[in-house]
């Protein structure tokens, strides 16, 4: 082959192809994580929008909101939906993270099917900046439906599921485990479009203002029931 002939790169052949030794290019818009060490480990250099992202914490409340704070603040011009959080969201704690309570919508469902329905409506409407959905159990078929619904827009979509879910298959192109560590989090890369990384990434997280100074907090206003959610009202 002559030196003038060009060998096509995997990305030139198809956007979804990449070299196993390199991180893939993201074919969707990405939001900066706000943590340079983490961004360097993610395809596209940030959190991909319009796709399912699996976050698998060892337990709730270990710092996942502080991890997501910079990205959520970046999209807070549109509503941020909290669906089925494990505890009532606290207004002052969220404000201390730079997230205006007025931009947050708390959704609660009595049945898992209603929560899935509400998540699909949020994603397909494209009216919200981010959706955080806490789910203890989710079937593969449900995950695929949500992944497809996410592709209808550019919503930043995180599913918070138990760490044990790492053993299950998922259509999510990005799956991270979160474990508490002194001063921050150990982030494991279960799945990403790029080389396998066995060692976790330690990410230091500074305590929030409410962790440094005890303050009486108050929950967000009463949640909206999932079946009563109307996406057109949050534009």
């Amino acid at each position: 082959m002559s030196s003038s002939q060009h060998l096509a790169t995997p990305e030139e052949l198809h956007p979804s192809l990449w070299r196993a030794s390199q991180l893939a290019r993201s074919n969707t818009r990405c939001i900066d994580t706000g943590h340079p060490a983490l961004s360097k480990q993610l395809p596209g250099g940030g959190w991909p929008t319009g796709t399912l992202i699996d976050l698998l914490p060892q337990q709730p409340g270990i710092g996942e909101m502080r991890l997501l704070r910079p990205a959520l603040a970046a999209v807070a011009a549109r509503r941020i939906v909290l669906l089925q959080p494990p505890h009532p969201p606290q207004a002052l704690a969220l404000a201390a993270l730079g997230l205006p309570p007025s931009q947050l919508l708390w959704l609660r469902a009595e049945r898992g099917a209603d929560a899935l329905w509400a998540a699909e409506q949020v994603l397909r409407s494209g009216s919200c900046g981010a959706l955080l959905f806490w789910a203890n159990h989710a079937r593969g078929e449900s995950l695929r439906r949500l992944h497809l619904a996410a592709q209808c827009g550019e919503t930043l979509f995180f599913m918070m599921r138990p760490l044990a879910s790492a053993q299950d298959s998922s259509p999510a192109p990005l799956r991270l485990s979160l474990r508490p560590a002194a001063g921050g989090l150990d982030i494991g890369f279960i799945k990403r479009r790029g080389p396998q990384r066995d060692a976790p990434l330690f990410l230091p997280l500074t305590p929030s203002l409410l962790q440094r100074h005890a303050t009486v907090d108050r929950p967000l206003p009463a949640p909206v029931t999932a079946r009563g959610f109307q996406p057109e009202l949050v534009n």
Side-chain angles (χ1 to χ4, degrees):
M1 179 180 295
S2 66
S3 59
S4 61
Q5 288 180 297
H6 172 70
L7 290 177
T9 64
E11 295 88 350
E12 291 173 330
L13 294 174
H14 195 279
S16 64
L17 297 177
W18 71 92
R19 295 184 188 278
S21 60
Q22 299 174 334
L23 289 175
R25 295 179 184 176
S26 178
N27 54 9
T28 64
R29 185 171 71 97
C30 290
I31 303 297
D32 186 10
T33 69
H35 310 284
L38 175 60
S39 294
K40 289 179 181 177
Q41 297 295 325
L42 301 181
W47 300 118
T49 60
T51 190
L52 166 62
I53 302 172
D54 246 345
L55 290 186
L56 312 177
Q58 182 172 308
Q59 62 194 54
I62 60 174
E64 58 270 31
M65 292 302 293
R66 283 180 288 150
L67 170 68
L68 299 181
R69 180 200 63 77
L72 295 180
V75 300
R78 296 190 295 162
R79 284 291 185 91
I80 296 171
V81 179
L82 310 177
L83 176 57
Q84 297 292 76
H87 305 290
Q90 300 298 308
L92 290 179
L94 293 166
L97 291 174
L99 304 176
S102 60
Q103 289 300 97
L104 299 170
L105 179 63
W106 174 17
L107 288 181
R108 184 179 64 186
E110 296 297 331
R111 301 185 307 151
D114 291 344
L116 291 167
W117 179 88
E120 277 198 65
Q121 304 315 302
V122 171
L123 295 170
R124 293 190 183 279
S125 74
S127 61
C128 299
L131 168 63
L132 279 63
F133 180 12
W134 285 263
N136 289 329
H137 305 285
R139 299 170 56 185
E141 178 183 353
S142 298
L143 294 175
R144 286 189 292 273
R145 286 179 61 91
L146 292 175
H147 183 49
L148 288 173
Q151 295 174 38
C152 294
E154 291 190 339
T155 301
L156 197 54
F157 175 34
F158 298 97
M159 276 202 78
M160 308 285 193
R161 302 199 290 145
L163 185 57
S165 301
Q167 302 174 11
D168 304 330
S169 61
S170 168
L174 180 61
R175 309 186 72 200
L176 303 178
S177 64
L178 307 177
R179 291 181 171 87
L185 287 174
D186 276 338
I187 300 178
F189 295 83
I190 300 169
K191 181 181 176 184
R192 64 174 178 175
R193 288 172 172 164
Q196 181 177 336
R197 175 178 170 136
D198 296 324
L201 170 71
F202 171 70
L203 192 69
L205 295 174
T206 56
S208 70
L209 291 174
L210 290 183
Q211 287 177 303
R212 294 196 293 263
H213 307 287
T215 308
V216 176
D217 205 348
R218 65 183 187 280
L220 289 179
V224 176
T225 59
R227 280 293 176 181
F229 173 66
Q230 299 181 39
E232 64 272 13
L233 298 183
V234 301
N235 287 327

